[in-house]
Amino acid sequence: MSEIEFVDTTLRDGHQSHWATRMTTAMMFSIAPAIDRVGYRFAELMGTVQVDACVRYLRENPWERIRLMSQALPNTPVRCWIRSKNLTSFNIVPDSVIALYIKRLVANGARNIGIFDALHDFDNIAESVRLAKAEGVLVLVPLVFSISPVHTDEFYAQKAAEIASRLKPDLIMIKDSIGLLTPERIRTLVPAIQQNGRGLPIELHSHCTTGLAPLVYLEAMHLGINMFATAV
């Protein structure tokens, strides 16, 4: 088995899920040296929700957070997220605004950008992926896991092939934001994605909503996945 790598989501999804995204930059900055010593592959810092919370509730400058935390985590590349054609709301914004947003993420220290469309409509993110790659950062595109008659292993295999052939990111993620994955499902899902992902590294992100995420992770390790999202 290859070396297992971990992605720390404490500074992004951890407090988004548990504390309504109210962790301040000062809280993060004080613990940053300890996080940086761990050896995480990436540290997630900002989605668009964090930008909104910084301004609306914490009265902080989100760009200053990215700058300060990128400097405080010199050994751990910082990851930021973009949700489809939305930024801080669910309104569609012009491509030019998203292009400027990507440039400012990189200018302020982001080294990995995740770009996703929850409905897997890749027309919505193709230009953003291209722009982010042109800025020289690693790009991640997730497959957002759901349960329905549509969301079969065959569906995810097809979407993995589309990501690999059309978008050409550096990483694919299985993004189980709701914590719906089970050990039984991961056994069939991972091989389907691996067979169609053209060798792209796959990261697994799940939530412990049902208590099954640790078992899902262990099963995924046996199937060859070696990068996992975690939170303290």
Side-chain angles (χ1 to χ4, degrees):
M1 180 180 290
S2 59
E3 181 178 351
I4 301 299
E5 295 185 303
F6 296 100
V7 176
D8 182 58
T9 70
T10 306
L11 305 181
R12 202 276 302 171
D13 207 356
H15 70 118
Q16 180 177 325
S17 293
H18 293 287
W19 296 347
T21 324
R22 298 300 194 270
M23 193 185 292
T24 65
T25 302
M27 293 175 184
M28 298 178 183
F29 196 78
S30 64
I31 198 64
I35 293 174
D36 199 45
R37 289 195 298 269
V38 172
Y40 290 114
R41 181 66 181 87
F42 302 105
E44 288 198 359
L45 180 66
M46 300 289 284
T48 53
V49 173
Q50 282 69 32
V51 173
D52 181 66
C54 276
V55 175
R56 189 187 303 268
Y57 301 111
L58 302 177
R59 303 297 188 263
E60 292 188 353
N61 181 343
W63 304 109
E64 183 179 51
R65 174 177 293 186
I66 299 172
R67 284 196 300 273
L68 289 173
M69 292 305 296
S70 296
Q71 293 166 7
L73 297 167
N75 302 305
T76 313
V78 165
R79 173 185 290 169
C80 297
W81 284 93
I82 296 173
R83 182 185 58 229
S84 194
K85 287 187 175 292
N86 322 122
L87 289 180
T88 58
S89 72
F90 288 101
N91 298 320
I92 294 174
V93 300
D95 287 342
S96 58
V97 175
I98 296 177
L100 178 60
Y101 189 85
I102 290 171
K103 288 180 179 294
R104 299 321 301 163
L105 288 177
V106 177
N108 284 286
R111 294 295 173 262
N112 178 216
I113 297 180
I115 305 173
F116 75 100
D117 184 280
L119 299 179
H120 305 99
D121 184 350
F122 297 136
D123 287 342
N124 288 332
I125 65 172
E127 179 63 7
S128 298
V129 171
R130 186 191 69 79
L131 288 169
K133 287 180 71 69
E135 289 295 318
V137 296
L138 295 175
V139 177
L140 164 70
V141 175
L143 295 160
V144 181
F145 183 72
S146 187
I147 296 176
S148 79
V150 171
H151 294 88
T152 62
D153 291 348
E154 291 74 22
F155 170 86
Y156 285 111
Q158 174 190 341
K159 291 301 178 179
E162 190 175 346
I163 288 173
S165 62
R166 179 182 177 190
L167 301 181
K168 299 181 175 63
D170 301 287
L171 301 163
I172 292 179
M173 173 190 280
I174 301 172
K175 187 173 178 62
D176 181 25
S177 309
I178 313 300
L180 297 174
L181 273 170
T182 65
E184 292 76 18
R185 183 65 190 275
I186 201 72
R187 291 186 195 119
T188 61
L189 180 65
V190 166
I193 293 172
Q194 288 171 328
Q195 290 169 13
N196 291 273
R198 297 193 177 185
L200 285 174
I202 301 172
E203 178 182 335
L204 178 57
H205 174 120
S206 187
H207 285 224
C208 211
T209 315
T210 64
L212 291 177
L215 298 177
V216 169
Y217 277 21
L218 287 172
E219 288 291 339
M221 288 180 193
H222 291 304
L223 294 166
I225 302 299
N226 69 340
M227 193 180 306
F228 296 89
T230 57
V232 175

